[in-house]
Amino acid sequence: MSEMVNVEEIFASKVFTLGKMKERLPKGTFKEVKKIMDEGGELSKEAADVIAKAMKDWAVENGATHYTHWFQPLTGITAEKHDAFVTHPDETGKMIMEFSGKELIKGEPDASSFPSGGLRATFEARGYTTWDITSPAFIKETATGPTLCIPTAFCSYTGEALDKKTPLLRSMEALSKQAIRIVRLFGNTEAKKVTASVGAEQEYFLVDAKKALQREDILFAGRTLFGAPAPKGQEMDDHYFGVIRERVGGFMHDVNLELWKLGVTSKTQHNEAAPAQHEVAPIYESANVAVDHNQLVMETLKRVAGYHGLRCMLHEKPFARVNGSGKHNNWSITTDNGINLLEPGQTPNDNIQFLLVLACIMKAVDTHADLLRQSASNVGNDQRLGGYEAPPAIISIFLGEQLEDVVNQLVETGKADSLKEGGVLRTGVSTLPDFVKDATDRNRTSPFAFTGNKFEFRSVGSSDSIGSPNTTLNAIVAEAFCEAADRLEAAEDFELAVHDLIKEYMTKHQRIIFNGNGYAKEWEEEAARRGLPNIPSMVEAVDTLTTPKAVQLFEKFGIFTEAELHSRAEVLYETYAKSVNIEALTMIDMATTQILPAVMEYAGVLADTTLKLKDAGVSNAVSAKMLAMLTDKLAEAEDALSKLQEAEANATAMKQGKDQAFFYYRQVVPAMRALRTPVDELEQMVEKKYWPMPTYADLLFEV
Ligand code: ADP
Ligand code: MG
């Protein structure tokens, strides 16, 4: 049993919160920081020095010896370079720990080893990290000792973004500015800022570390590249929301403690659909902080798993034939005077501001469905999106019955007079209350679903940063708001103009609404008829970043320059090629040095048995038959292995870039699949003690 914890006491104990700043900073300095947090601007050098000292003192009181600028390069994970607070000792040999404002505000890691997609030649490798004042500093406690982490943005010498945070912050500002124009139109003169809020539900698998590490594929690729299905999968639906087993419970408890200390509001935890699959979700917060916190969630899951002899797999599809993992990105937009623009109220049909916002989002998602799809793509997610389990690769919006009906009425008549009621859910038990049903049911197959007062973008991959999806979402909605505001601000009769605009947008973009089953084959056909893009893979999605439409969008709102977009495209192609290459090499190695030898060993055993049975004068038909089947399959596997080796060699010989990435996608990936099939069949033919690695049954059912 675990000890009692005082959650209120430990919560954010390792965060340099606004409250701590208020306590520790002179009034004037605190005011200056707060103002910049709320309204933007630059910190004076004096204030920076004062804050740095206070931050260092707090960190040292908490045992920190080092600090790091904590940033999010295009690798999708975080980077840190630790520096001690140590300074040069004086002549007596005494040393005083110091941390200056300059060190707080600006760092200069050698940027040449981070992907930049050609933005920065190695000879001008300068890259700068700058403090993101809107995300609080925190102390990370790992084996290296407590380290003060300062969330930072990462840019090149010439100011190009080299990370996931810079464009996100730019997109949040753009969205705020345009959303303010919208609320002003409706007479809200108070609000100064609109913030995108995000709550990210994180799925993951938990397996025994010792067993996991006996598999090279888990070690190098983060997923299984071979593996026959266990006799049991998820067909009984007995894992989802099931009782959490003790070993997993102990892990979750520790994860929560660590997250709470870091100020992450870890709130919900449960078993997911697949065996060994789980989920954790914090309470939503500002998109920027949510992105940082999601990185901390992923890091913490992995680290704490290690303490429990477990391995946390964040890959989108660690095991074939059971569900993969995603990250539901719940997104809403709220004014600083507390109005959620996605709150429909009791009568959404009368709520003109809400309907305008909804119309703009329909327009944004329809116009840029390709970009949204791209923002949720990574190498692992290719195994999941469109796999008839996770949301399909086709982007559409689910509104639920009630709102869809409102949209239909508006499109048909320009008015929405009636509202479908949610109705009462009768429990049929007199001691249980009857519930008023939500007017929207849930549709788990939709990639972009309206869920009450937020949109849930479900395509995002479990291992990915949520930086890109939120940057894209903010950007496309900012654009739609901007166009609407341009027209409405100029309108002579606002009432008339807003009605016309809602009707126009909803009519034009109604095709993006889909309330049916997103996994069905018919939807693919229907979506094609509607002209909605269906981009099946990560590499095919890269081009969406550099279309004239995308460049115009991102440049207009200062989120990406065209050069930055091209650089990101390059990084994506490189990342794809490198990742698939690692997977292919891992398969080749496992097949060559482990699997085929094991099969041959067992074939030898069968051959001996066959001969012995013959010598004994009894029938050896069964073992002879098994042997023949085994060697046939072995030959098939060997042939597939040779083909994969050839494809892989050809791919490696190519010049890095788009063509190479496509070669990996079109030649190497199918060759990998072709090798997996006979190997998985062999696994079911070979006596278990000869199989050289833990199986799906060992991994998925024994934690
Ligand atoms: P589910 O039932 O889909 O698991 P929940 O309603 O529990 O979803 O919420 C999932 C996530 O959505 C949580 O992180 C929650 O904090 C977040 N969330 C709730 N309301 C909002 C909102 N208005 N904006 C953004 N995220 C929200
Ligand atoms: Mg959800």
Side-chain angles (χ1 to χ4, degrees):
M1 290 299 281
S2 42
E3 288 164 43
M4 273 259 290
V5 250
N6 185 336
V7 182
E8 286 180 16
E9 212 161 87
I10 64 166
F11 189 78
S13 55
K14 301 295 170 193
V15 185
F16 198 58
T17 55
L18 205 60
K20 290 193 185 91
M21 285 204 213
K22 195 167 182 185
E23 264 171 40
R24 288 167 179 260
L25 294 177
K27 259 208 181 99
T29 316
F30 178 73
K31 249 179 142 170
E32 190 178 330
V33 188
K34 182 79 175 56
K35 187 159 186 284
I36 294 173
M37 277 180 188
D38 294 340
E39 297 166 28
E42 229 172 283
L43 208 58
S44 68
K45 191 181 166 307
E46 295 71 41
D49 278 330
V50 175
I51 299 166
K53 172 147 193 329
M55 205 186 261
K56 187 241 357 177
D57 288 346
W58 168 76
V60 170
E61 282 163 33
N62 280 276
T65 50
H66 288 71
Y67 71 92
T68 179
H69 277 200
W70 186 74
F71 60 104
Q72 307 181 24
L74 298 177
T75 49
I77 50 174
T78 59
E80 45 194 69
K81 174 188 155 208
H82 298 185
D83 276 298
F85 294 116
V86 170
T87 54
H88 210 284
D90 65 13
E91 62 271 35
T92 67
K94 183 171 166 48
M95 192 278 300
I96 293 173
M97 306 255 270
E98 260 176 24
F99 183 50
S100 69
K102 197 165 150 269
E103 288 167 307
L104 165 65
I105 291 181
K106 196 169 117 191
E108 200 187 329
D110 177 5
S112 60
S113 303
F114 294 105
S116 80
L119 268 186
R120 201 175 6 73
T122 342
F123 62 88
E124 45 177 8
R126 275 171 197 275
Y128 292 105
T129 50
T130 39
W131 182 30
D132 169 17
I133 203 166
T134 59
S135 183
F138 56 92
I139 293 173
K140 211 157 74 171
E141 290 173 313
T142 63
T144 49
T147 301
L148 172 67
C149 296
I150 301 152
T152 52
F154 181 42
C155 293
S156 75
Y157 184 62
T158 42
E160 282 114 350
L162 298 175
D163 67 349
K164 302 255 177 186
K165 186 188 271 277
T166 310
L168 176 74
L169 292 172
R170 293 172 181 166
S171 76
M172 289 177 72
E173 283 189 13
L175 179 66
S176 176
K177 199 164 145 200
Q178 301 307 325
I180 282 291
R181 294 176 66 194
I182 297 290
V183 299
R184 287 281 184 274
L185 287 165
F186 289 89
N188 182 337
T189 50
E190 261 176 64
K192 288 205 211 64
K193 189 172 148 183
V194 172
T195 305
S197 301
V198 170
E201 303 163 54
Q202 174 74 49
E203 292 178 332
Y204 60 92
F205 279 76
L206 214 50
V207 296
D208 183 82
K210 271 210 201 89
K211 282 185 203 143
L213 294 180
Q214 288 169 41
R215 294 189 59 120
E216 280 184 22
D217 47 5
I218 296 183
L219 187 61
F220 297 129
R223 68 165 171 131
T224 56
L225 295 163
F226 297 109
K232 182 180 170 188
Q234 61 188 56
E235 59 277 56
M236 302 299 288
D237 291 326
D238 54 354
H239 192 253
Y240 191 62
F241 283 13
V243 174
I244 296 170
R245 275 163 296 176
E246 287 292 284
R247 190 170 174 199
V248 175
F251 160 83
M252 287 179 171
H253 177 74
D254 286 350
V255 165
N256 287 333
L257 290 183
E258 291 300 305
L259 289 177
W260 289 333
K261 284 195 238 166
L262 291 169
V264 181
T265 49
S266 182
K267 168 104 177 148
T268 309
Q269 61 197 24
H270 60 80
N271 288 349
E272 258 299 329
Q277 192 185 29
H278 311 278
E279 179 180 301
V280 59
I283 298 174
Y284 66 100
E285 55 199 336
S286 148
N288 171 36
V289 180
V291 169
D292 288 358
H293 279 175
N294 182 251
Q295 292 285 357
L296 286 180
V297 168
M298 292 195 284
E299 270 181 51
T300 304
L301 287 170
K302 285 193 182 163
R303 184 163 52 84
V304 175
Y307 301 155
H308 286 257
L310 295 164
R311 189 164 178 99
C312 173
M313 299 173 80
L314 293 172
H315 194 281
E316 284 73 14
K317 191 77 180 176
F319 298 95
R321 300 180 195 88
V322 292
N323 273 11
S325 300
K327 188 135 56 189
H328 292 176
N329 187 88
N330 293 273
W331 176 91
S332 65
I333 32 182
T334 315
T335 66
D336 55 355
N337 61 345
I339 312 291
N340 177 358
L341 301 188
L342 297 180
E343 177 58 62
Q346 289 299 312
T347 50
N349 53 327
D350 290 334
N351 185 343
I352 304 300
Q353 179 178 305
F354 171 76
L355 292 175
L356 176 63
V357 168
L358 181 62
C360 286
I361 292 176
M362 284 170 63
K363 176 176 196 276
V365 175
D366 186 28
T367 310
H368 297 294
D370 59 340
L371 277 179
L372 216 46
R373 159 69 177 96
Q374 190 287 321
S375 76
S377 67
N378 70 3
V379 187
N381 227 6
D382 269 14
Q383 308 295 326
R384 174 177 168 259
L385 291 187
Y388 303 101
E389 54 151 291
I394 308 161
I395 298 290
S396 64
I397 300 180
F398 169 80
L399 285 183
E401 218 183 312
Q402 189 184 60
L403 275 185
E404 193 190 16
D405 177 60
V406 169
V407 171
N408 286 342
Q409 289 182 57
L410 285 166
V411 168
E412 274 159 34
T413 66
K415 287 187 306 211
D417 291 328
S418 68
L419 188 65
K420 280 196 179 173
E421 292 298 335
V424 174
L425 177 80
R426 307 232 174 261
T427 56
V429 179
S430 63
T431 52
L432 287 179
D434 289 337
F435 297 100
V436 176
K437 277 200 287 195
D438 282 332
T440 54
D441 192 7
R442 289 167 177 262
N443 178 331
R444 292 281 168 195
T445 68
S446 175
F448 198 74
F450 186 72
T451 45
N453 61 359
K454 62 187 195 290
F455 275 99
E456 191 168 333
F457 185 24
R458 303 201 182 109
S459 312
V460 186
S462 49
S463 70
D464 214 357
S465 157
I466 52 170
S468 300
N470 287 300
T471 302
T472 301
L473 252 175
N474 295 342
I476 65 176
V477 174
E479 183 189 55
F481 282 172
C482 176
E483 284 178 32
D486 284 348
R487 262 175 60 183
L488 296 174
E489 283 165 1
E492 275 172 23
D493 182 339
F494 173 72
E495 297 281 311
L496 200 67
V498 75
H499 276 95
D500 285 353
L501 194 109
I502 291 171
K503 178 164 191 237
E504 180 191 316
Y505 280 10
M506 287 189 172
T507 308
K508 207 160 151 208
H509 302 287
Q510 197 179 17
R511 65 170 188 172
I512 197 71
I513 308 285
F514 179 63
N515 281 351
N517 177 7
Y519 303 166
K521 191 80 197 148
E522 298 81 62
W523 168 230
E524 226 176 288
E525 292 155 12
E526 167 65 19
R529 274 196 294 279
R530 293 190 192 182
L532 299 178
N534 181 0
I535 307 173
S537 71
M538 168 178 168
V539 284
E540 287 158 296
V542 177
D543 267 346
T544 64
L545 283 175
T546 49
T547 60
K549 165 176 85 82
V551 173
Q552 199 191 353
L553 161 76
F554 288 123
E555 288 212 318
K556 177 169 182 183
F557 296 98
I559 295 166
F560 289 116
T561 62
E562 187 167 0
E564 286 171 336
L565 288 167
H566 280 283
S567 83
R568 270 162 214 250
E570 282 308 308
V571 171
L572 290 169
Y573 287 133
E574 258 178 54
T575 307
Y576 184 82
K578 285 180 183 163
S579 310
V580 176
N581 190 49
I582 291 171
E583 293 192 340
L585 288 177
T586 305
M587 285 185 95
I588 292 170
D589 192 60
M590 289 170 78
T592 313
T593 67
Q594 296 184 291
I595 296 169
L596 297 199
V599 177
M600 285 186 278
E601 190 184 354
Y602 180 58
V605 173
L606 280 181
D608 283 346
T609 308
T610 308
L611 288 177
K612 278 189 195 145
L613 290 172
K614 185 166 181 250
D615 286 348
V618 293
S619 166
N620 62 3
V622 173
S623 73
K625 188 175 161 197
M626 280 169 72
L627 179 60
M629 285 185 349
L630 190 74
T631 49
D632 281 355
K633 204 44 88 184
L634 180 65
E636 218 181 280
E638 197 282 328
D639 183 50
L641 173 62
S642 304
K643 289 194 174 119
L644 176 59
Q645 279 168 319
E646 196 188 320
E648 199 279 330
N650 288 338
T652 319
M654 287 174 80
K655 195 167 138 308
Q656 217 171 50
K658 180 173 177 175
D659 289 347
Q660 191 199 35
F662 269 88
F663 188 88
Y664 273 104
Y665 173 56
R666 300 227 162 100
Q667 306 294 328
V668 179
V669 169
M672 286 164 58
R673 224 175 282 134
L675 172 59
R676 179 171 183 151
T677 307
V679 167
D680 288 358
E681 285 166 11
L682 283 168
E683 186 186 324
Q684 291 174 308
M685 298 160 86
V686 170
E687 189 180 335
K688 185 157 166 51
K689 71 175 185 212
Y690 293 95
W691 199 251
M693 64 196 75
T695 62
Y696 272 26
D698 300 330
L699 286 163
L700 289 171
F701 291 92
E702 289 187 14
V703 167

